[in-house]
Every structure is written in structure tokens, then in C-alpha cells.
């Protein structure tokens, strides 16, 4: 009986947590979809005329407007837009005539690879670096090492990604010739784009990881572990490291979202065939259906990452879920 009551006490907070997060996700999705729909209507002038050019005939412009449903009332266009999205129809490109879903499907894997590899690299560098610096500099020890770490990481964290990408291209691609500077062909083509996306987030995460580790290393349970004369590496790995991940995961989720958006600049610097370069080309060509579709994909990616971070934090620290509920 006690076990049943205990289970019910845990089920209710988790159910409320899931309902609250699902509600936020649905509201955010509605805002995202509505903003993407209004984007084409907020552009000054006729978007179809802008896409087809000044030399296009009036008959062609009117035919394209009718095909896109732009002659219908705004509320009816919105309902049709929602209906088409639910059915998976994102219309076709004004330039190539290809379905927008096909364009996105062809380019999305390249963008996900770039952001995913950069995030993994940033984590593999930041966690051991931040942990090691916390252990080395705890209690005010090794001040020169602490100053060098904080100064270097602060500088790397504020360098814009596109500027870092250009610098990497010039140094390692043009001057040294160690890596290709454009395209997506082979392992070497990944090196510079991934580095340009990973350096800044790695610097931020390592600083956060160090601060969290310093706090945890002075916690009571860590002092108890030291009193038991456990090895230092075991104290750090088993008792300190798991408790230092909460803030790091939160910031890491935000950085992953920014990495996905940051691929737009990196892809254009390195001529990477992903969504970032495609959306810039579509904006220049005034191919609004493609722009709308890619904006939806980027926005949905950010929402999914934020939801995943919330769920992961709730799993790692269930007490936070209970407190919120």
C-alpha cells in the first residue's frame, strides 16, 4: 500500500510536468508557424513579382499568385497553410519547381552533421578541460594557470563564428593548405567548419563546467568522500562530476540551439551544401516558400532541443520536477 501511494505521488508531478511542457511546446509551435506564415505577407510589395522579376508578364504573375492562394482572404490563406502543413505539403520552390520538403530533405542531413559533430567536439573538450581546471585551481592554487584559462576562454567565447571561420580558412586552408576550404567531400572537409562552430561553445562550456565543479568540490558529500580517504580521481569522477552537470546541460542545450542557427554563416563561408547556404540563396532569389520551410525547420529544431534539455534535467534531478509541480 505504501509503495502504491509513493508511486502515485511521483506520477502526479511527472504527469503535470509532461502536460506543462507539452502545452508550452504547442504554443511555441503555433507562434512559429504563424510567424512563418506572416513572413511572406509582411514583405513590402508583391512577393510573387519580386520572385519572378520585373520582366515577368502580368498573366504569369497572376497565375502564380492564384497557384499560391495569395488572392484569397488572409484568414482563408492561414487555414489553408495550416491544413497543408498538417498534411506535409510545404508547396514548391518558385525557382526550381521542386517540392520544398524535397529541398529540405536533401540539405538537412549536411546541416545536422555539421551541428552534431561540432556539439560533440565542444562537449569532449569542455567537460574534461573544465573539470581539470577546477581540480587544479581549487582553493586559489595555480593562479597563473587560472588566469590563462579564464582569459583565453573569454576571448574565444566572444569571437564571432563567421570571423573565426574566415580566420581558419586563411590560416589552415590558404596559407598552410592543411584542409579544404569548401565543399563536403571526405573527412578533411569537416575539420574547419566543425572547428569554427565548436571553439566558442567549448570555451563557454568549459568555464561553466569549472565553476560548477568548484562548487561541488566544496560540497558536504565530497568532503565526506575525502574523509573516507578515497582516491582523488574516484572522488572527482563518481561524486563530483555527476552533480556538476545540471547547469552545463542547460547551457549546452542553448549552445546546441545556437549552433544550429550558426550553421547559416559557417555553411556560407565553407560553401557547405546544407540548409544554411540554401536559405541565403533562397532569400537572394526571393524564393519565399523555401525560406518559409527552412525557417520552420530551424525553429522546430530549437524547440525540440529545449524540450529535450528540460526532460533530461528532470530525469537527472527529479526533485526539480516535484518542486515545480
Amino acid at each position: 500500500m505504501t509503495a502504491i501511494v509513493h508511486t502515485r505521488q511521483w506520477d502526479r508531478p511527472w504527469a503535470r510536468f509532461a502536460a506543462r511542457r507539452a502545452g508550452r511546446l504547442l504554443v511555441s509551435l503555433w507562434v512559429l508557424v504563424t510567424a512563418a506564415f506572416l513572413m511572406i505577407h509582411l514583405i513590402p510589395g508583391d512577393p510573387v513579382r519580386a520572385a519572378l522579376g520585373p520582366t515577368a508578364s502580368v498573366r504569369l504573375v497572376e497565375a502564380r499568385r492564384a497557384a499560391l492562394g495569395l488572392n484569397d482572404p488572409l484568414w482563408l490563406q492561414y487555414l489553408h497553410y495550416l491544413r497543408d502543413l498538417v498534411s506535409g505539403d510545404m508547396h514548391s520552390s518558385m525557382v526550381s519547381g521542386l517540392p520544398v520538403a524535397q529541398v529540405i530533405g536533401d540539405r538537412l542531413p549536411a546541416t545536422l552533421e555539421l551541428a552534431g559533430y561540432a556539439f560533440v567536439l565542444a562537449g569532449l573538450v569542455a567537460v574534461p578541460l573544465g573539470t581539470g581546471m577546477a581540480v587544479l585551481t581549487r582553493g586559489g592554487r595555480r593562479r597563473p594557470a587560472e588566469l590563462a584559462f579564464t582569459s583565453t576562454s573569454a576571448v574565444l567565447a566572444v569571437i564571432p563564428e563567421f570571423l573565426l571561420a574566415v580566420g581558419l580558412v586563411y590560416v589552415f586552408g590558404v596559407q598552410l593548405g592543411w584542409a579544404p576550404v569548401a565543399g563536403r567531400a571526405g573527412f578533411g572537409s569537416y575539420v574547419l567548419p566543425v572547428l569554427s562552430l565548436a571553439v566558442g561553445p567549448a570555451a563557454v562550456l568549459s568555464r561553466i563546467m569549472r565553476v560548477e565543479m568548484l562548487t561541488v568540490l566544496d560540497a558536504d558529500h565530497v568532503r565526506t568522500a575525502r574523509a573516507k580517504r578515497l582516491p582523488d580521481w574516484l572522488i572527482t569522477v563518481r561524486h563530483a562530476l555527476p552533480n556538476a552537470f545540471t547547469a552545463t546541460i542547460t547551457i549546452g542545450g542553448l549552445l546546441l540551439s545556437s549552433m544550429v542557427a550558426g550553421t547559416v554563416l559557417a555553411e556560407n563561408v565553407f560553401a557547405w551544401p546544407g540548409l544554411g547556404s540554401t536559405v541565403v540563396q533562397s532569400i537572394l532569389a526571393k524564393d519565399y516558400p523555401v525560406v518559409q520551410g527552412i525557417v520552420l525547420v530551424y525553429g522546430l529544431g530549437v524547440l525540440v532541443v529545449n524540450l529535450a534539455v528540460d526532460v533530461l534535467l528532470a530525469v537527472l534531478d527529479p526533485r526539480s520536477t516535484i518542486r515545480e509541480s
Side-chain angles (χ1 to χ4, degrees):
M1 185 67 178
T2 304
I4 295 175
V5 173
H6 181 74
T7 301
R8 289 177 178 175
Q9 287 176 346
W10 278 89
D11 286 344
R12 285 195 296 268
W14 274 103
R16 289 194 291 268
F17 172 81
R20 187 166 54 252
R21 288 298 184 269
R24 291 180 185 177
L25 179 63
L26 290 177
V27 172
S28 300
L29 276 175
W30 174 75
V31 173
L32 173 64
V33 169
T34 303
F37 166 77
L38 293 175
M39 179 178 64
I40 194 172
H41 297 277
L42 295 176
I43 299 171
D46 187 349
V48 177
R49 167 63 69 182
L52 296 179
T55 60
S57 64
V58 176
R59 180 178 299 179
L60 177 60
V61 172
E62 289 301 320
R64 185 59 62 89
R65 287 184 60 85
L68 293 174
L70 295 178
N71 294 327
D72 297 330
L74 187 62
W75 65 268
L76 184 59
Q77 294 183 46
Y78 184 61
L79 293 179
H80 289 166
Y81 182 71
L82 294 178
R83 179 200 62 192
D84 293 341
L85 279 182
V86 172
S87 63
D89 181 12
M90 303 177 72
H91 301 291
S92 298
S93 167
M94 289 184 177
V95 176
S96 65
L98 296 173
V100 173
Q102 179 180 339
V103 175
I104 293 175
D106 292 340
R107 299 300 184 102
L108 181 59
T111 296
L112 292 180
E113 280 188 352
L114 197 58
Y117 290 153
F119 183 73
V120 170
L121 178 61
L124 290 176
V125 172
V127 172
L129 180 59
T131 302
M133 290 304 302
V135 173
L136 291 174
T137 61
R138 185 173 66 89
R141 298 175 297 174
R142 298 179 178 87
R143 296 291 298 176
E146 178 184 358
L147 180 60
F149 169 76
T150 55
S151 301
T152 304
S153 59
V155 171
L156 292 177
V158 300
I159 297 178
E161 292 168 347
F162 74 93
L163 185 60
L164 181 60
V166 172
L168 291 174
V169 167
Y170 178 76
V171 175
F172 296 102
V174 178
Q175 294 296 321
L176 299 177
W178 289 356
V181 299
R184 178 185 175 221
F187 173 80
S189 62
Y190 286 80
V191 174
L192 297 184
V194 169
L195 279 177
S196 68
L197 287 174
V199 168
V204 173
L205 282 178
S206 63
R207 290 172 63 90
I208 298 296
M209 193 67 196
R210 175 180 173 271
V211 172
E212 291 298 308
M213 280 296 296
L214 288 174
T215 302
V216 173
L217 288 173
D218 290 330
D220 292 338
H221 70 280
V222 176
R223 292 196 188 100
T224 303
R226 290 198 192 97
K228 295 179 180 179
R229 298 189 179 279
L230 296 177
D232 289 341
W233 68 267
L234 184 62
I235 294 174
T236 301
V237 173
R238 179 178 295 181
H239 298 278
L241 190 58
N243 292 282
F245 269 127
T246 303
T248 305
I249 291 175
T250 303
I251 301 299
L254 298 175
L255 291 176
L256 179 57
S257 301
S258 69
M259 279 184 183
V260 174
T263 55
V264 175
L265 297 174
E267 287 181 9
N268 282 276
V269 172
F270 295 100
W272 192 263
L275 290 181
S277 57
T278 302
V279 72
V280 172
Q281 295 168 5
S282 300
I283 291 173
L284 295 177
K286 297 180 176 60
D287 195 350
Y288 299 115
V290 175
V291 176
Q292 278 183 319
I294 295 177
V295 167
L296 284 176
V297 170
Y298 274 114
L300 181 61
V302 172
L303 294 178
V304 169
V305 169
N306 291 337
L307 177 63
V309 170
D310 287 342
V311 173
L312 182 58
L313 289 175
V315 171
L316 293 176
D317 187 9
R319 293 172 297 177
S320 64
T321 306
I322 297 176
R323 284 196 298 269
E324 287 186 13
S325 300

